[in-house]
């Protein structure tokens, strides 16, 4: 069973930065595409980013990212990161990580989410 713990969220001003962490347990995430997704109340989960399995770091991002975010994998720490720069108010959401189809930027197991980490962008 895939199990993740997300952390690193918080309150940040517009234009600020955050780095989210997604630590996996029970399996080695290097063999899987790992995506970040976000959700605001009343809306579906939205694909943010994905790092391909065994890829040497190949990534895929949602169109709204526009070069502001960067995802990476540290296999030794069994952790995937999401560095977010130039944050906007519309980036406010709960952020989750999950095993994903990186080409489609969709989760492999929709409906099965961890506790997430909240990001609030506000002045």
């Amino acid at each position: 069973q895939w199990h993740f713990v997300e952390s690193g969220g918080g309150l940040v001003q517009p234009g600020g930065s955050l780095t989210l962490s997604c630590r996996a347990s029970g399996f080695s995430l290097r063999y899987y595409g790992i995506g970040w997704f976000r959700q605001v109340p009343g809306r579906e989960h939205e694909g943010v980013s994905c790092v391909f399995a065994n890829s040497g770091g190949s990534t895929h991002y949602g169109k709204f990212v526009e070069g502001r975010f960067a995802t990476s994998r540290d296999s030794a720490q069994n952790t995937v990161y999401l560095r977010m720069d130039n944050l906007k108010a519309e980036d406010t959401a709960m952020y989750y990580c999950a095993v994903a189809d990186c080409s489609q930027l969709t989760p492999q197991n929709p409906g099965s989410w961890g506790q997430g980490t909240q990001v609030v962008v506000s002045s």
Side-chain angles (χ1 to χ4, degrees), residues 4-79:
F4 298 95
V5 176
E6 301 95 341
S7 62
L11 173 64
V12 62
Q13 292 185 343
S17 299
L18 282 174
T19 298
L20 308 184
S21 299
C22 166
R23 185 169 180 88
S25 61
F27 72 103
S28 179
L29 54 73
R30 74 178 68 192
Y31 302 116
Y32 298 86
I34 304 297
W36 283 95
F37 301 86
R38 68 186 188 182
Q39 187 188 32
V40 297
R43 298 182 64 179
E44 296 290 325
H45 285 80
E46 178 180 38
V48 178
S49 67
C50 201
V51 56
F52 286 80
N54 297 319
S55 64
S58 296
T59 54
H60 182 199
Y61 296 92
K63 291 181 179 179
F64 62 87
V65 170
E66 300 175 326
R68 301 179 296 128
F69 299 173
T71 190
S72 61
R73 179 178 54 233
D74 183 336
S75 296
Q77 297 296 322
N78 215 30
T79 299

Side-chain angles (χ1 to χ4, degrees), residues 64-108:
F64 62 87
V65 170
E66 300 175 326
R68 301 179 296 128
F69 299 173
T71 190
S72 61
R73 179 178 54 233
D74 183 336
S75 296
Q77 297 296 322
N78 215 30
T79 299
V80 168
Y81 300 97
L82 179 66
R83 166 76 180 190
M84 303 187 294
D85 295 318
N86 192 20
L87 282 160
K88 305 175 182 180
E90 51 264 43
D91 295 316
T92 294
M94 187 70 81
Y95 284 71
Y96 304 88
C97 58
V99 174
D101 178 340
C102 284
S103 295
Q104 301 296 321
L105 204 51
T106 55
Q108 293 277 36

